[in-house]
Amino acid sequence: MEPLLDYVQVCGCQIHQRIQEGKVPSAQQLDGFVIGIVNKFKDLSKSLPAEVHENLACPWQPLWDFEGNCSGVEREKLDLQALLDICRCLREYLKGAAMPTDSQESASLPQRTAATSPLSTNEPFDVATLLSYVGECGSLVARRIGEGKAPSVEQLD
């Protein structure tokens, strides 16, 4: 997963630099940039488990359809800042998902499985549970909720 983490960090740096320089791409330029990023993510993650692919796709919704690599239902809200937030979320996920090389250290890490995810059951859960589960990415979710941009139940299905 290291190459994927390295790539996410490179993308984040590029996006941050463009924001700092005040460079605002056209919608067409941004779409082309995102398509390239997603293609590279898919290439770097093709040998990884399905769970990783699902976690890579999650932060892109509803702005971008990661699997189809095309604009999502809320494409008009995709900008450099949103893209940077996605990269930050992916970076935090990948940092947490990277397994240490020392088997003893690896054995001491808590293992997150689908069974421990509040999203893997049909039981209702609240925003606090969701935020605690997504960890560092919770700030992105919280910001979207605060902006009144929380996804609808239909979008979560």
Side-chain angles (χ1 to χ4, degrees):
M1 278 210 240
E2 287 300 315
L4 192 54
L5 178 58
D6 291 343
Y7 183 67
V8 168
Q9 290 174 325
V10 166
C11 290
C13 289
Q14 289 175 347
I15 295 163
H16 179 74
Q17 182 178 357
R18 288 184 175 141
I19 291 170
Q20 295 300 313
E21 293 171 354
K23 294 182 178 177
V24 180
S26 69
Q28 186 177 13
Q29 289 171 325
L30 186 59
D31 284 356
F33 185 61
V34 173
I35 287 169
I37 290 173
V38 171
N39 281 337
K40 186 70 171 178
F41 281 174
K42 287 181 173 186
D43 183 52
L44 291 171
S45 65
K46 62 185 168 192
S47 64
L48 298 175
E51 178 186 347
V52 174
H53 288 274
E54 291 170 11
N55 287 323
L56 289 176
C58 185
W60 294 90
Q61 296 298 329
L63 305 174
W64 195 261
D65 176 358
F66 184 83
E67 293 304 322
N69 200 4
C70 59
S71 42
V73 296
E74 293 187 15
R75 164 56 188 94
E76 70 279 357
K77 296 177 184 172
L78 181 64
D79 59 11
L80 288 177
Q81 185 59 54
L83 193 53
L84 184 60
D85 290 341
I86 290 168
C87 286
R88 285 179 179 148
C89 187
L90 291 170
R91 181 191 67 206
E92 294 308 314
Y93 163 71
L94 291 168
K95 280 183 176 180
M99 297 303 284
T101 55
D102 183 336
S103 61
Q104 286 183 329
E105 189 177 347
S106 176
S108 69
L109 292 173
Q111 299 298 311
R112 179 176 285 172
T113 64
T116 62
S117 165
L119 306 177
S120 66
T121 68
N122 289 329
E123 298 298 316
F125 57 89
D126 59 13
V127 172
T129 302
L130 179 61
L131 291 175
S132 69
Y133 179 70
V134 297
E136 292 289 330
C137 296
S139 62
L140 173 62
V141 174
R143 192 184 85 207
R144 300 231 175 184
I145 290 169
E147 294 171 349
K149 298 178 184 174
S152 67
V153 173
E154 291 80 21
Q155 290 171 323
L156 294 174
D157 287 338

